[in-house]
Amino acid sequence: MKDILDLISPGKPFLPDALNAMQLGRANAMRHLWLTASVSLLAQPGTGIRILEVGSWMGASMLTWAAAIDRFVAGEGEILCVDTWAPYLGVDDINVDGAYRVMDRAAAIDLAYAVFRHNASCVPKKVRVDHLRGRSKDVLSMLRERAFDIVYVDGSHYYADVVADLTEARRLVADGGLLCGDDLEQQVTEIDEAYARDNIDRDALVDPKNRKAFHPGVTLAVAEVLGPVSSYTGFWAMRREGDAFVPVDLSGASPFVPEHFGEEYRRTVLEWARSSGFFKKQA
Ligand SMILES: C[S@@+](CC[C@H](N)C(=O)[O-])C[C@H]1O[C@@H](n2cnc3c(N)ncnc32)[C@H](O)[C@@H]1O
């Protein structure tokens, strides 16, 4: 199947909305800015960056990491992607809407894995991308302590899985490096915690107290493993200082919109960056 994609889109990323390849939809696409901002924050001339991504789907975030490595450390970096590329959503979620059904089906017929491998072959030449296909709880335990400058957790959002991923991820971050992730729209103090606890095996829901969407498993697991964290429109991050994890300020970082964003995504993200006024430097 990858051969077909290589023919359809030679040397160029393949990220169709019909397959939910961008994952976030236009309204949330600004989240990729936080990935580029994170790399800019850690970048030091002559020093490479090692990134571990837990949950890669079709490779949209992997492509963003690769673009940031290319821009900020001249391609001197590597990304290790860990994913099952297999169905993982529960039936209650699959029955919610078409996007979940498409994801489940694309994983079942191995299309997600083929698209990921095609997209991994489209990164800038010097950037190295490796992948390990397996359950994160099996794979992460085999990785060397403090081996990564950035560990990005965006795998299963079910509570027990996120607790396991974060517990391992903590161990894998180098001193001065970032532990970060996606889908923390609200922290535990903002939500109805009892409702979240009753729904730890659901992907995303609307909080009955404040009517805002959130991922119960992510909110509860982050609070339990790390406590309050720095968070930016769903992206969250903490920096390792010795044995502690401290908040991260991304406002002085240098984000950019990566090439693999289509025109509409690019426009939406730039509009958000301008209207939010968050970044001191131009996105
Ligand atoms: C939200 S998607 C990742 C999106 C991706 N980071 C992006 O932004 O383009 C979640 C991914 O986690 C993977 N996943 C789910 N459970 C997993 C597990 N137990 N171990 C490894 N990967 C898992 C799924 O196959 C899926 O590709």
Side-chain angles (χ1 to χ4, degrees):
M1 210 153 7
K2 174 181 176 292
D3 295 346
I4 298 172
L5 299 170
D6 293 347
L7 276 175
I8 293 173
S9 184
K12 292 238 177 326
F14 181 73
L15 293 163
D17 279 344
L19 296 178
N20 201 13
M22 288 291 284
Q23 277 292 283
L24 304 164
R26 275 196 283 287
N28 285 322
M30 93 292 263
R31 291 195 197 171
H32 284 242
L33 292 178
W34 310 120
L35 310 192
T36 59
S38 298
V39 175
S40 81
L41 200 70
L42 296 193
Q44 282 174 15
T47 311
I49 289 203
R50 303 154 299 173
I51 298 176
L52 169 65
E53 176 172 271
V54 183
S56 294
W57 186 233
M58 293 186 172
S61 50
M62 173 277 296
L63 286 164
T64 298
W65 292 121
I69 288 174
D70 189 46
R71 176 170 299 207
F72 294 121
V73 287
E76 294 294 340
E78 47 192 64
I79 308 164
L80 175 61
C81 298
V82 175
D83 202 302
T84 50
W85 289 285
Y88 71 101
L89 293 161
V91 274
D92 287 344
D93 287 326
I94 293 171
N95 289 330
V96 168
D97 76 18
Y100 286 118
R101 271 195 293 280
V102 166
M103 277 189 76
D104 189 59
R105 194 75 196 118
I109 62 172
D110 232 14
L111 181 56
Y113 185 48
V115 176
F116 169 81
R117 285 186 300 131
H118 166 78
N119 286 334
S121 71
C122 300
V123 299
K125 272 204 170 50
K126 278 179 83 181
V127 181
R128 179 179 171 144
V129 177
D130 295 307
H131 70 271
L132 291 171
R133 191 177 192 181
R135 287 176 67 93
S136 49
K137 77 169 185 210
D138 302 324
V139 176
L140 299 192
S141 62
M142 298 188 304
L143 302 177
R144 192 166 44 84
E145 192 144 317
R146 303 196 184 202
F148 300 91
D149 303 300
I150 296 177
V151 178
Y152 177 61
V153 179
D154 190 21
S156 157
H157 297 136
Y158 299 130
Y159 170 76
D161 294 333
V162 189
V163 168
D165 285 350
L166 292 178
T167 305
E168 277 299 317
R170 272 184 79 112
R171 194 179 66 75
L172 300 172
V173 183
D175 206 16
L178 300 184
L179 173 54
C180 55
D182 196 19
D183 298 302
L184 183 73
E185 295 81 6
Q186 305 197 63
Q187 304 212 37
V188 77
T189 48
E190 300 170 84
I191 55 142
D192 178 340
E193 191 176 339
Y195 177 75
R197 291 213 177 274
D198 283 344
N199 288 286
I200 54 173
D201 287 329
R202 293 300 304 275
D203 184 64
L205 292 170
V206 171
D207 179 73
K209 202 167 72 177
N210 62 30
R211 303 262 139 227
K212 291 187 197 150
F214 78 121
H215 290 76
V218 177
T219 294
L220 292 172
V222 167
E224 191 170 309
V225 179
L226 294 160
V229 294
S230 334
S231 71
Y232 303 95
T233 66
F235 175 81
W236 62 267
M238 295 293 274
R239 187 169 191 144
R240 177 171 219 138
E241 278 185 13
D243 287 334
F245 281 86
V246 300
V248 179
D249 178 10
L250 289 176
S251 63
S254 310
F256 69 96
V257 184
E259 283 275 302
H260 60 278
F261 272 48
E263 208 31 59
E264 279 188 48
Y265 277 96
R266 167 178 300 275
R267 212 175 317 117
T268 311
V269 171
L270 288 175
E271 263 163 37
W272 177 85
R274 270 184 221 113
S275 63
S276 72
F278 179 83
F279 291 108
K280 293 171 192 144
K281 295 170 197 155
Q282 186 66 36

PDB file of all heavy atoms in Angstrom, residues 215-228:
ATOM      1  N   HIS A 215     -10.548  15.597  27.314  1.00  0.00           N
ATOM      2  CA  HIS A 215     -10.233  14.168  27.266  1.00  0.00           C
ATOM      3  C   HIS A 215     -10.061  13.695  28.712  1.00  0.00           C
ATOM      4  O   HIS A 215      -9.014  13.987  29.331  1.00  0.00           O
ATOM      5  CB  HIS A 215      -8.950  13.927  26.464  1.00  0.00           C
ATOM      6  CG  HIS A 215      -9.096  14.173  24.990  1.00  0.00           C
ATOM      7  ND1 HIS A 215      -9.147  15.439  24.445  1.00  0.00           N
ATOM      8  CD2 HIS A 215      -9.231  13.305  23.949  1.00  0.00           C
ATOM      9  CE1 HIS A 215      -9.292  15.336  23.120  1.00  0.00           C
ATOM     10  NE2 HIS A 215      -9.339  14.057  22.800  1.00  0.00           N
ATOM     11  N   PRO A 216     -11.063  13.003  29.265  1.00  0.00           N
ATOM     12  CA  PRO A 216     -11.022  12.674  30.696  1.00  0.00           C
ATOM     13  C   PRO A 216      -9.771  11.899  31.122  1.00  0.00           C
ATOM     14  O   PRO A 216      -9.172  12.189  32.164  1.00  0.00           O
ATOM     15  CB  PRO A 216     -12.294  11.841  30.933  1.00  0.00           C
ATOM     16  CG  PRO A 216     -12.902  11.584  29.604  1.00  0.00           C
ATOM     17  CD  PRO A 216     -12.307  12.532  28.618  1.00  0.00           C
ATOM     18  N   GLY A 217      -9.363  10.934  30.289  1.00  0.00           N
ATOM     19  CA  GLY A 217      -8.197  10.118  30.651  1.00  0.00           C
ATOM     20  C   GLY A 217      -6.926  10.943  30.709  1.00  0.00           C
ATOM     21  O   GLY A 217      -6.076  10.756  31.588  1.00  0.00           O
ATOM     22  N   VAL A 218      -6.802  11.887  29.772  1.00  0.00           N
ATOM     23  CA  VAL A 218      -5.595  12.728  29.733  1.00  0.00           C
ATOM     24  C   VAL A 218      -5.599  13.669  30.932  1.00  0.00           C
ATOM     25  O   VAL A 218      -4.592  13.807  31.651  1.00  0.00           O
ATOM     26  CB  VAL A 218      -5.512  13.514  28.396  1.00  0.00           C
ATOM     27  CG1 VAL A 218      -4.307  14.436  28.390  1.00  0.00           C
ATOM     28  CG2 VAL A 218      -5.465  12.549  27.212  1.00  0.00           C
ATOM     29  N   THR A 219      -6.729  14.321  31.173  1.00  0.00           N
ATOM     30  CA  THR A 219      -6.815  15.278  32.286  1.00  0.00           C
ATOM     31  C   THR A 219      -6.489  14.592  33.618  1.00  0.00           C
ATOM     32  O   THR A 219      -5.681  15.105  34.415  1.00  0.00           O
ATOM     33  CB  THR A 219      -8.236  15.897  32.331  1.00  0.00           C
ATOM     34  OG1 THR A 219      -8.403  16.685  31.147  1.00  0.00           O
ATOM     35  CG2 THR A 219      -8.422  16.781  33.548  1.00  0.00           C
ATOM     36  N   LEU A 220      -7.085  13.427  33.849  1.00  0.00           N
ATOM     37  CA  LEU A 220      -6.864  12.748  35.139  1.00  0.00           C
ATOM     38  C   LEU A 220      -5.436  12.211  35.254  1.00  0.00           C
ATOM     39  O   LEU A 220      -4.791  12.334  36.305  1.00  0.00           O
ATOM     40  CB  LEU A 220      -7.862  11.600  35.311  1.00  0.00           C
ATOM     41  CG  LEU A 220      -9.333  12.019  35.490  1.00  0.00           C
ATOM     42  CD1 LEU A 220     -10.242  10.789  35.457  1.00  0.00           C
ATOM     43  CD2 LEU A 220      -9.533  12.782  36.800  1.00  0.00           C
ATOM     44  N   ALA A 221      -4.931  11.625  34.176  1.00  0.00           N
ATOM     45  CA  ALA A 221      -3.594  11.012  34.244  1.00  0.00           C
ATOM     46  C   ALA A 221      -2.499  12.061  34.396  1.00  0.00           C
ATOM     47  O   ALA A 221      -1.555  11.878  35.185  1.00  0.00           O
ATOM     48  CB  ALA A 221      -3.342  10.171  32.986  1.00  0.00           C
ATOM     49  N   VAL A 222      -2.617  13.171  33.678  1.00  0.00           N
ATOM     50  CA  VAL A 222      -1.592  14.231  33.799  1.00  0.00           C
ATOM     51  C   VAL A 222      -1.581  14.742  35.238  1.00  0.00           C
ATOM     52  O   VAL A 222      -0.514  14.918  35.853  1.00  0.00           O
ATOM     53  CB  VAL A 222      -1.847  15.372  32.784  1.00  0.00           C
ATOM     54  CG1 VAL A 222      -0.999  16.591  33.110  1.00  0.00           C
ATOM     55  CG2 VAL A 222      -1.554  14.895  31.364  1.00  0.00           C
ATOM     56  N   ALA A 223      -2.771  14.975  35.813  1.00  0.00           N
ATOM     57  CA  ALA A 223      -2.845  15.477  37.195  1.00  0.00           C
ATOM     58  C   ALA A 223      -2.213  14.477  38.157  1.00  0.00           C
ATOM     59  O   ALA A 223      -1.476  14.862  39.074  1.00  0.00           O
ATOM     60  CB  ALA A 223      -4.309  15.717  37.573  1.00  0.00           C
ATOM     61  N   GLU A 224      -2.477  13.212  37.921  1.00  0.00           N
ATOM     62  CA  GLU A 224      -1.977  12.188  38.842  1.00  0.00           C
ATOM     63  C   GLU A 224      -0.457  11.996  38.740  1.00  0.00           C
ATOM     64  O   GLU A 224       0.237  11.911  39.748  1.00  0.00           O
ATOM     65  CB  GLU A 224      -2.674  10.866  38.511  1.00  0.00           C
ATOM     66  CG  GLU A 224      -2.459   9.794  39.549  1.00  0.00           C
ATOM     67  CD  GLU A 224      -3.390   8.623  39.260  1.00  0.00           C
ATOM     68  OE1 GLU A 224      -4.612   8.850  39.095  1.00  0.00           O
ATOM     69  OE2 GLU A 224      -2.874   7.497  39.179  1.00  0.00           O
ATOM     70  N   VAL A 225       0.065  11.971  37.531  1.00  0.00           N
ATOM     71  CA  VAL A 225       1.500  11.670  37.367  1.00  0.00           C
ATOM     72  C   VAL A 225       2.359  12.929  37.520  1.00  0.00           C
ATOM     73  O   VAL A 225       3.463  12.871  38.048  1.00  0.00           O
ATOM     74  CB  VAL A 225       1.770  11.000  35.993  1.00  0.00           C
ATOM     75  CG1 VAL A 225       3.253  10.702  35.805  1.00  0.00           C
ATOM     76  CG2 VAL A 225       0.957   9.725  35.851  1.00  0.00           C
ATOM     77  N   LEU A 226       1.837  14.096  37.087  1.00  0.00           N
ATOM     78  CA  LEU A 226       2.677  15.307  37.071  1.00  0.00           C
ATOM     79  C   LEU A 226       2.136  16.465  37.894  1.00  0.00           C
ATOM     80  O   LEU A 226       2.860  17.404  38.190  1.00  0.00           O
ATOM     81  CB  LEU A 226       2.849  15.781  35.623  1.00  0.00           C
ATOM     82  CG  LEU A 226       3.651  14.833  34.717  1.00  0.00           C
ATOM     83  CD1 LEU A 226       3.345  15.115  33.256  1.00  0.00           C
ATOM     84  CD2 LEU A 226       5.141  14.960  34.980  1.00  0.00           C
ATOM     85  N   GLY A 227       0.858  16.451  38.227  1.00  0.00           N
ATOM     86  CA  GLY A 227       0.249  17.612  38.894  1.00  0.00           C
ATOM     87  C   GLY A 227      -0.086  18.681  37.871  1.00  0.00           C
ATOM     88  O   GLY A 227      -0.188  18.391  36.674  1.00  0.00           O
ATOM     89  N   PRO A 228      -0.206  19.958  38.301  1.00  0.00           N
ATOM     90  CA  PRO A 228      -0.513  21.020  37.343  1.00  0.00           C
ATOM     91  C   PRO A 228       0.654  21.184  36.357  1.00  0.00           C
ATOM     92  O   PRO A 228       1.814  21.091  36.759  1.00  0.00           O
ATOM     93  CB  PRO A 228      -0.651  22.278  38.209  1.00  0.00           C
ATOM     94  CG  PRO A 228      -0.603  21.820  39.618  1.00  0.00           C
ATOM     95  CD  PRO A 228      -0.042  20.441  39.680  1.00  0.00           C
TER      96      PRO A 228
END
